[in-house]
Amino acid sequence: AGRGARPVANRPVAVGRPASNSRPVGGQQQQVQDLGRQLNEAKAMIETAEKERDFYFLKLREIEVYLQSTEFAQGSELEAMAKHIQGILYSTDEGEAENADAGHMDDQEYDQVSGHMNTLHVDEEETF
C-alpha cells in the first residue's frame, strides 16, 4: 500500500444508524408522524394521570392526618367510622390492614357506619 493510506480495519464504521441524509419515504413518513402523535398523546395522558394521583393522594393524606389527630369518644359511632376509614386507608390490595391500630369492623358495625355515611351531605361542587 502507498504512503498515508490507512488500513481498512482502523476506519470507524457506523452500524445500525441511517446516513444523515436519509429520510423516511412515503408510508414510513406517515408512520413516523403517527408514532410521534401517539407519543405526545401518551405523554399528555401520563401527565394528567400523575396530577390526578397527586391530587387524590394529598386528599387521602389530609384525611389520614385528621383521623390521627382527632380524639373521638370511646365506643362512639364516630370512633367506629374513623377506625373503618383508617382500615380502608391502610388496607393492601388483598384487603389486609397493615396497621393493627386501624381495627376491623364486624358486619353489624359496618352496616351502621355505612348507613350513616349514606346520610351525609355531599356537595357536588366540591368533588373532582
Side-chain angles (χ1 to χ4, degrees), residues 37-79:
R37 181 184 46 77
Q38 289 175 10
L39 178 62
N40 289 333
E41 288 175 3
K43 285 179 181 179
M45 288 173 48
I46 289 170
E47 186 177 324
T48 300
E50 287 174 344
K51 285 180 182 178
E52 285 186 30
R53 177 202 60 202
D54 294 344
F55 174 82
Y56 287 111
F57 176 82
L58 289 173
K59 294 295 181 185
L60 291 170
R61 180 69 181 128
E62 287 178 36
I63 291 168
E64 177 185 34
V65 169
Y66 175 79
L67 291 174
Q68 290 175 348
S69 65
T70 304
E71 291 188 28
F72 298 99
Q74 195 74 19
S76 70
E77 189 175 325
L78 287 177
E79 180 192 40

Side-chain angles (χ1 to χ4, degrees), residues 1 43 69 92 104 118 121:
K43 285 179 181 179
S69 65
T92 61
H104 290 296
N118 290 334
H121 171 71

Side-chain angles (χ1 to χ4, degrees), residues 9-29:
N10 289 339
R11 291 187 186 158
V13 178
V15 178
R17 293 189 320 193
S20 60
N21 61 355
S22 68
R23 290 187 180 159
V25 216
Q28 289 178 335
Q29 188 171 6

